[in-house]
Amino acid sequence: MRREAMAAVGLAVSLTLLGPAFTAVADPVPAPVAPQGHGVASVDKIVPLTDTRSAVFINSPAMGRVVQVQVLHPAGGGSRPSLYLLDGVSAGAESDFRESTWTQKTDVVQFFADKNVNVVLPVGGTASYYTDWLQPDPTLGINKWETFLADELPPIIDKNFSGNGVNAVAGVSMGAMGAANLVTRHPQLYRGLAAYSGCLDNSNPSSRDSVRGTVAFKGGNPANMWGPDTDPAWTAHDPSVNAEALRGKQIYISTGNGLPGPYEITGDIASTIAVGGPLEAAANLCTQTFQRRLTQLAIPATFTYRNFGTHSWPYWQDELRTSWPVLKSALGV
């Protein structure tokens, strides 16, 4: 019970830290442009930010609005695979949703500058878990992120950015759960998964409490996402229960342990440790549980446990680099 209580406290909120904004795209969050429903997504506009970075605004029937994604892409021609890179709980809120937190808080732009891969970065999705909610939320609005990411978006990326149909997905914190659910629910679409500092288990009551806490932290009603505990949506969105779908995928999963590390020697140390320490310690426990599940199923995966590190972006920047050989293999780069 002590370990479960720790997980409930530590993962109650998947925080991301504030950072400088990228201001090349000044569009506000677009208002709804069409009623939510079925249809074919279409490009509203593509705004080149640099030779290798574009902001893509997509009319999403599922979401009932224009959704921005940013794409890092090679300047040259030729087909290439795509890596979908998901945010933590804030999902770009620090820049008023002008860009993802990945491009604000890490050097992901520079890291992928010499790689023949599209990196697709959704903008928005605060506390959404990148899933299809059962119903709209008064605060967080319409969330049909799974439909957008898995059905509507890939054809647009492939058509406009020379995608070859080979995909992988990675995510941090809340986005780690989102990434794992995308792969387990759409195994035909993705060849690889990387999850950094996430909890990939919705079976334990404390884990479910942490999911609810994350949604509530941003003002949402958790019941609007997957309903009460008795709703089968919880099991349908449990990567641990549905782990068999990961067989044959390239998998990388990592976590720290919550103790101060090299990135806690500067800045607001007390605040970073007080918040990021328990969050990462809880993610560590969830990661161990998930590793036992994959071992039980005899599904190979790479697990990395750092003997230090809080729930913070400098470590996730490092983990993206460490996981790149696994993702590279999945993408066939």
Side-chain angles (χ1 to χ4, degrees):
M1 288 298 295
R2 184 176 181 181
R3 288 165 65 94
E4 293 180 3
M6 184 178 181
V9 173
L11 282 174
V13 184
S14 295
L15 293 174
T16 52
L17 304 180
L18 298 178
F22 176 79
T23 58
V25 177
D27 295 44
V29 177
V33 297
Q36 181 193 6
H38 299 289
V40 179
S42 61
V43 174
D44 179 68
K45 62 181 175 180
I46 298 177
V47 181
L49 305 178
T50 69
D51 289 345
T52 57
R53 181 175 180 179
S54 298
V56 186
F57 296 85
I58 298 169
N59 292 301
S60 167
M63 300 277 269
R65 62 180 182 271
V66 172
V67 179
Q68 183 194 173
V69 300
Q70 291 195 3
V71 183
L72 311 179
H73 50 84
S79 64
R80 61 190 73 100
S82 299
L83 171 64
Y84 290 76
L85 196 53
L86 305 184
D87 258 334
V89 65
S90 63
E94 301 91 341
S95 66
D96 196 23
F97 303 104
R98 291 183 175 89
E99 64 174 320
S100 82
T101 316
W102 274 104
T103 50
Q104 294 177 74
K105 303 293 289 186
T106 76
D107 65 353
V108 64
V109 176
Q110 293 77 15
F111 178 70
F112 283 103
D114 62 347
K115 295 172 177 58
N116 189 39
V117 60
N118 296 321
V119 180
V120 184
L121 300 135
V123 179
T126 298
S128 70
Y129 279 88
Y130 296 104
T131 189
D132 283 4
W133 286 39
L134 296 179
Q135 54 191 353
D137 186 83
T139 300
L140 300 179
I142 294 171
N143 287 296
K144 294 292 182 179
W145 283 98
E146 179 182 343
T147 297
F148 176 74
L149 292 169
D151 296 336
E152 296 180 338
L153 183 57
I156 290 175
I157 295 300
D158 289 350
K159 178 180 178 180
N160 291 276
F161 296 95
S162 302
N164 63 7
V166 175
N167 306 296
V169 59
V172 58
S173 190
M174 176 198 81
M177 168 71 83
N181 272 323
L182 284 173
V183 178
T184 54
R185 290 171 60 79
H186 302 271
Q188 77 287 350
L189 185 60
Y190 306 102
R191 297 188 183 182
L193 165 69
Y196 317 117
S197 302
C199 184
L200 308 187
D201 173 23
N202 278 331
S203 304
N204 194 299
S206 66
S207 300
R208 293 188 178 191
D209 286 342
S210 74
V211 171
R212 294 189 186 95
T214 299
V215 174
F217 173 68
K218 290 298 185 179
N221 182 348
N224 290 327
M225 186 167 70
W226 294 327
D229 265 349
T230 54
D231 197 296
W234 281 95
T235 300
H237 295 88
D238 188 335
S240 182
V241 169
N242 303 308
E244 178 61 39
L246 295 174
R247 192 174 301 279
K249 311 297 181 187
Q250 298 289 314
I251 304 169
Y252 179 94
I253 300 173
S254 68
T255 178
N257 63 3
L259 296 178
Y263 296 119
E264 278 73 45
I265 61 175
T266 59
D268 188 353
I269 302 173
S271 175
T272 301
I273 294 175
V275 175
L279 285 171
E280 196 68 9
N284 185 289
L285 293 177
C286 276
T287 300
Q288 293 179 50
T289 298
F290 193 69
Q291 183 175 17
R292 288 193 291 270
R293 172 62 171 158
L294 293 194
T295 299
Q296 178 188 45
L297 295 174
I299 295 177
T302 299
F303 282 84
T304 298
Y305 294 91
R306 298 186 310 274
N307 59 5
F308 56 81
T310 60
H311 205 71
S312 53
W313 280 99
Y315 295 108
W316 299 329
Q317 174 175 283
D318 288 350
E319 284 306 308
L320 177 61
R321 282 177 161 74
T322 304
S323 67
W324 176 239
V326 175
L327 292 170
K328 179 179 178 181
S329 176
L331 294 167
V333 178

